[in-house]
Amino acid sequence: MNKTAIPITVFTGFLGAGKTTVILSLLPKLRKDQKLVLLKNEYGDVEVDSKLARNSSLTAVSEILNGCMCCVLVGQMQNALLEIRDQYRPDRIIIECSGSAFPATLAFQIREMERNTEGDFKLDSIITVIDAENFAGYEDTSPTAKMQASYTDMILINKWESVSDRQLDIVMDHLHTLNDLTPKIRCDGRNGVDPNLIFGIESKLFLDEDTPTLDPSHVDEVQTLSLYLGSKAGLSHKHDGHEHVPGHNGTAGDHTINRQTPITLGILEECLSKVGKESVWRIKGFVRVQEENVETYILNWAFGRYDLTKSDPSVLLDNCSVQLTVMGERRELRRAIGPFCRRLGLSIS
C-alpha cells in the first residue's frame, strides 16, 4: 500500500509580521474535512498564539517554546513532527517559525526527515510574511530578515494598506533587490490569501546542497524578557537554558505599587500607547483587568499595533494578573520596556 507524504508548509517572517493571522485566515477557505496541524515555535514561555489557534478549526496545535528550532531545538522539532504523524496523520502540517528562524536550516531538516522516514513527509513550500509597515526599518539591522526574504518560495506582503504608495514602493524595491524571482503577493487584510496560491507548490529549494553552517549569532538579534505581576512573579523561570528570577537583577518597579491596585483597561491601553517600537518589537501574553467585572485578555502587540482578545481566566497562573513575553533589540530592550513595567508594577526576568 502506497503511503501519501504529509506536505509541510513553513511560514517564516520577522517578529510581528502577522504570520499567525495569515495562517488562521486560510482555515475557513479549506475543505471542512481537511485535517491541518499547526506546529509553532516562539521565544518565551507564554503560549499566546496557540490559545488563539485552538479556537480555530485546526485539528491540533503544538508549540515549541524557549528557543529557535532552526538550531538549538532541532531535535524537538523532529520529534514533534513524528508525534504529529503518528497521532493525527494530517493532510498537511503548517510550521510557524519564530521571528529569528533561518528558513534554510529548517528546510534541510525537513529534507532530512523526508529521507529518514522514507517519504512520510515532504517540504511543500516556504512562505515568508513581510510587514510592509516596518520591513524597511528592521531589514537594515537584521540579517535574519534578509535571509527570510531571500530563501523562500513566496513572499506575502502584509499590512501594506497602512503605508503610503511611496513607502510600499520602497519596500518592494528592497524585496526585489533581495529576491527578484520569487512571487510577491499582497495579503487581503485579515482575509489573508487564497490557500491555493501557497499549497501544492512542491518546493525545489535546498534539494541538493549540503546542510548549511549556521551562524549562531542570529539568536543574538532578539532579546526576550518575561514580565509578571502577582504572587507567581516570585517563582523562577528558565529561558534559553538560563535561569532568571523575576524581581532580581534589574526589576523595574516591582514594589512601587500596591499589589491590590487593579489594572484597568484604560491604564493598560495608555501604557501600550507609550511603548516605543524602535527597541520593543513584540509584547504578547495574558492580562487580567478590572472594569465592572474582572476580565482576562490575550494581548498581542507588535510594532505599536495591538489586539486584546477576551480569554478564559485559566490561561493565567494562579494569583498572577499579568504574564507577558516581550521581545526586542538586544541591550536596549530592558531599558526601553522599563517605563511600561514601572507604570504597571511588573517584575522583569
Side-chain angles (χ1 to χ4, degrees):
M1 179 178 177
N2 293 329
K3 59 185 178 182
T4 302
I6 302 170
I8 298 176
T9 302
V10 178
F11 278 82
T12 69
F14 202 66
L15 294 167
K19 298 183 291 292
T20 303
T21 300
V22 172
I23 291 169
L24 295 182
S25 75
L26 298 169
L27 305 181
K29 304 167 187 173
L30 301 175
R31 295 193 328 266
K32 299 300 181 185
D33 62 344
Q34 193 164 9
K35 294 194 299 183
L36 263 72
V37 174
L38 172 63
L39 175 59
K40 179 174 172 55
N41 176 218
E42 188 59 274
Y43 281 103
D45 60 354
V46 183
E47 296 185 358
V48 175
D49 295 325
S50 291
K51 299 295 183 185
L52 293 171
R54 287 191 179 102
N55 294 326
S56 71
S57 59
L58 286 163
T59 301
V61 180
S62 178
E63 188 150 12
I64 297 176
L65 302 174
N66 291 330
C68 181
M69 63 185 175
C70 81
C71 50
V72 296
L73 301 181
V74 171
Q76 287 191 37
M77 185 197 79
Q78 294 173 342
N79 290 337
L81 288 175
L82 292 173
E83 289 176 8
I84 290 169
R85 177 200 64 182
D86 295 342
Q87 187 169 356
Y88 300 105
R89 195 72 200 194
D91 298 302
R92 179 175 300 274
I93 297 172
I94 295 176
I95 297 179
E96 181 184 347
C97 304
S98 71
S100 62
F102 279 172
T105 48
L106 284 168
F108 273 103
Q109 290 168 37
I110 297 169
R111 294 295 190 198
E112 184 179 23
M113 293 196 73
E114 291 178 3
R115 297 187 294 271
N116 293 342
T117 61
E118 298 181 346
D120 264 348
F121 302 95
K122 69 174 181 180
L123 176 63
D124 186 30
S125 59
I126 298 175
I127 308 297
T128 299
V129 182
I130 295 297
D131 170 7
E133 197 171 14
N134 296 290
F135 181 74
Y138 61 66
E139 182 232 358
D140 288 339
T141 58
S142 172
T144 303
K146 293 180 180 179
M147 289 196 69
Q148 289 169 346
S150 300
Y151 299 99
T152 183
D153 292 293
M154 183 172 296
I155 296 174
L156 301 183
I157 314 298
N158 203 19
K159 306 179 187 178
W160 59 271
E161 302 93 337
S162 58
V163 303
S164 67
D165 291 342
R166 174 59 180 155
Q167 288 173 301
L168 185 58
D169 286 342
I170 292 172
V171 170
M172 298 304 293
D173 286 344
H174 284 214
L175 291 174
H176 286 307
T177 299
L178 291 169
N179 190 335
D180 61 338
L181 298 177
T182 296
K184 301 164 186 68
I185 297 174
R186 298 184 192 183
C187 294
D188 181 17
R190 289 191 175 269
N191 291 323
V193 294
D194 185 341
N196 292 317
L197 291 173
I198 60 177
F199 292 164
I201 290 178
E202 299 191 1
S203 176
K204 301 299 186 292
L205 292 172
F206 313 114
L207 278 172
D208 302 316
E209 299 178 34
D210 293 330
T211 303
T213 301
L214 178 65
D215 178 3
S217 67
H218 88 282
V219 299
D220 290 332
E221 290 180 23
V222 180
Q223 182 177 9
T224 303
L225 299 172
S226 293
L227 314 180
Y228 294 89
L229 176 59
S231 61
K232 290 292 183 180
L235 299 179
S236 65
H237 295 261
K238 291 185 178 181
H239 303 280
D240 304 322
H242 304 287
E243 184 164 337
H244 305 269
V245 181
H248 175 69
N249 191 23
T251 294
D254 187 28
H255 304 290
T256 59
I257 69 169
N258 186 335
R259 286 291 186 190
Q260 304 304 314
T261 303
I263 295 175
T264 66
L265 193 58
I267 290 175
L268 176 61
E269 292 186 324
E270 173 199 338
C271 292
L272 290 172
S273 70
K274 295 179 179 178
V275 176
K277 66 180 184 179
E278 291 77 16
S279 298
V280 182
W281 302 330
R282 201 83 161 84
I283 305 172
K284 57 198 304 185
F286 312 112
V287 182
R288 187 172 291 133
V289 302
Q290 177 72 57
E291 295 298 316
E292 293 184 4
N293 301 305
V294 176
E295 299 283 1
T296 302
Y297 288 90
I298 298 173
L299 168 62
N300 210 327
W301 183 100
F303 290 98
R305 293 170 170 253
Y306 66 89
D307 291 316
L308 287 164
T309 306
K310 285 189 178 181
S311 179
D312 187 276
S314 64
V315 296
L316 274 164
L317 299 169
D318 293 339
N319 301 317
C320 185
S321 56
V322 177
Q323 186 184 7
L324 300 172
T325 296
V326 58
M327 290 165 273
E329 183 180 3
R330 187 164 293 278
R331 292 178 292 276
E332 294 295 327
L333 180 60
R334 187 179 290 271
R335 175 198 58 76
I337 201 63
F340 177 82
C341 294
R342 285 190 289 274
R343 181 70 176 93
L344 296 178
L346 307 182
S347 298
I348 303 179
S349 64

